[in-house]
Amino acid sequence: MTQPIDYIFIDTSLFVGSSFFKENGVIERFFDQAEKGYVKIIMPAITEKEWHLHFAENARVKFDITEKPIRVMGKKRSQEFLDKYSTLSKDYEDLIREVFKSNMERANLEKLPIDYPNDQLKKIFDKYFSKEKPFGTNGKRSEFPDAFVLASLEKYAKSKGIKILVFAKDKDFIEYASDCLELKDPNTYLNELVTKRIPEVEKRERISADISRLYKYIDSKPRRLLQQIQEEVTRFLSDSTNYIDLLDYADIEEICIDNLNLDIRAKDMEIHSVDEDDIEVLCFVDIDVKVRVKYFNEDESIWDSEEKDYLFKSYSTMDLDLSSVLPVTFLFPRLEDGDEFDEWNNLDVEVILVDTINLQEVIDNYRTYNETFGDIPNENLPKLVKDMTELKDKVNSMTNLLNKKSK
């Protein structure tokens, strides 16, 4: 985790009352969550020294052995035993220190040095003389360690703009009032943390990680995704019905698509939904493409009204330079915990919609284009039309003449 869910303080009274580092005990459960980063345990130097003192006293094993009874076994044998006992006693003391140190290190504690509350001395002594908590009505000097600990916690909380959760059995801690310290029951807190809050955080973090991966995927210009979009765009541009309004319902003979360029961008990308398997994403793809449309030009064709057929059919081509933005919706697969992927292009991304409305509007409103008429230069067309008209008139005259002779 990048940020802990809560900042907490565990008083010595709870540490002792919970049997120290007992397996499956409260302290071990707190340390397990601290090790994973879900909580941050604040440890003033005074509290750490108190913990170590109480832990060592309770963990120490006393061997009530005197030399005199041992000596009856003989000097040599008794001395061997006494040497082993001395070594064992020293090893056990080392073990106590090592167990305490390893437990404290695994919890990634936020340690506050002994001089951390030095600038709070006036406040501490004001409370002592006015008999405020933690000193109580008797103003006990023995409560000075608690006063320094509480001052350290309040200073740290205010410097970070946070609230520290306090877990204690000490009456002075329980009755202490502070805006930045809040007393909690350890078992209730741990149960809610493990069963509700951590799963919610893990869910959010997994979503955040997948979305971060999604942005990296888009920035990689993924070939597989772009290929799917290109196929959809090509299918759309190859559909002759999309040019009906532009060409006034002319019959289209051929459509050629050239220089189709797509540029996908993460800017303004929208997350539509997130489920266990996929993230539904709306992104925006820049498109630049050249399209040549060959169509039947009725105005330049010659119609034989008697034969009910064209004497000459004219075809025109229209070159369109199209630029637009395509909203594209696709499904981005989520990774299971611990899963890895080889490379971006191996991801099983599925395009579910390429919205071509914007592109259709560009086609419908296309005005700046250059017409050419097949392989026939424009300047030769009038002469051709004139020749065809004269030929038609001659054919009609000959037909009329033949009809008269036959009568």
Side-chain angles (χ1 to χ4, degrees), residues 341-352:
F341 61 92
D342 296 329
E343 60 181 33
W344 294 122
N345 287 312
N346 288 341
L347 287 175
D348 189 17
V349 176
E350 178 187 357
V351 172
I352 57 178

Side-chain angles (χ1 to χ4, degrees), residues 150-323:
L150 288 166
S152 296
L153 295 176
E154 288 183 317
K155 178 183 176 180
Y156 183 86
K158 290 176 181 177
S159 69
K160 299 293 185 179
I162 60 172
K163 180 169 285 189
I164 297 176
L165 305 183
V166 176
F167 300 91
K169 290 186 175 183
D170 190 320
K171 182 179 179 181
D172 292 324
F173 273 89
I174 294 173
E175 295 179 353
Y176 187 78
S178 174
D179 293 336
C180 50
L181 305 179
E182 182 179 351
L183 187 72
K184 288 282 188 179
D185 176 74
N187 287 305
T188 302
Y189 171 82
L190 283 167
N191 290 337
E192 182 181 5
L193 179 70
V194 172
T195 60
K196 293 182 181 179
R197 299 180 67 196
I198 288 178
E200 290 174 357
V201 170
E202 288 178 339
K203 180 179 180 181
R204 290 196 300 270
E205 288 196 337
R206 184 189 169 208
I207 291 174
S208 177
D210 284 336
I211 290 176
S212 176
R213 194 166 56 92
L214 166 63
Y215 274 88
K216 291 180 181 178
Y217 174 75
I218 295 298
D219 288 338
S220 73
K221 309 299 181 185
R223 183 175 64 253
R224 187 169 185 173
L225 176 61
L226 290 172
Q227 184 178 352
Q228 292 184 60
I229 298 172
Q230 182 173 343
E231 290 172 357
E232 289 298 319
V233 172
T234 301
R235 189 177 297 110
F236 170 81
L237 293 174
S238 299
D239 186 350
S240 60
T241 61
N242 295 319
Y243 306 91
I244 286 177
D245 288 344
L246 178 64
L247 299 177
D248 197 21
Y249 291 85
D251 292 335
I252 294 176
E253 183 75 10
E254 184 181 23
I255 298 173
C256 295
I257 300 170
D258 191 22
N259 295 331
L260 174 55
N261 295 310
L262 301 174
D263 184 20
I264 194 167
R265 51 198 173 107
K267 182 181 178 182
D268 302 325
M269 188 168 61
E270 300 175 8
I271 307 298
H272 279 184
S273 64
V274 179
D275 60 29
E276 285 300 314
D277 299 319
D278 300 288
I279 301 176
E280 184 175 308
V281 186
L282 173 65
C283 67
F284 300 89
V285 180
D286 294 321
I287 174 174
D288 291 293
V289 62
K290 295 182 181 295
V291 180
R292 170 166 287 192
V293 183
K294 182 179 180 181
Y295 64 95
F296 174 66
N297 190 332
E298 184 177 4
D299 292 339
E300 304 298 339
S301 299
I302 301 174
W303 174 254
D304 187 340
S305 58
E306 293 182 359
E307 296 295 330
K308 308 298 182 183
D309 195 6
Y310 284 96
L311 292 173
F312 172 76
K313 289 184 177 181
S314 176
Y315 291 92
S316 299
T317 59
M318 180 182 295
D319 292 323
L320 292 84
D321 289 323
L322 304 176
S323 295

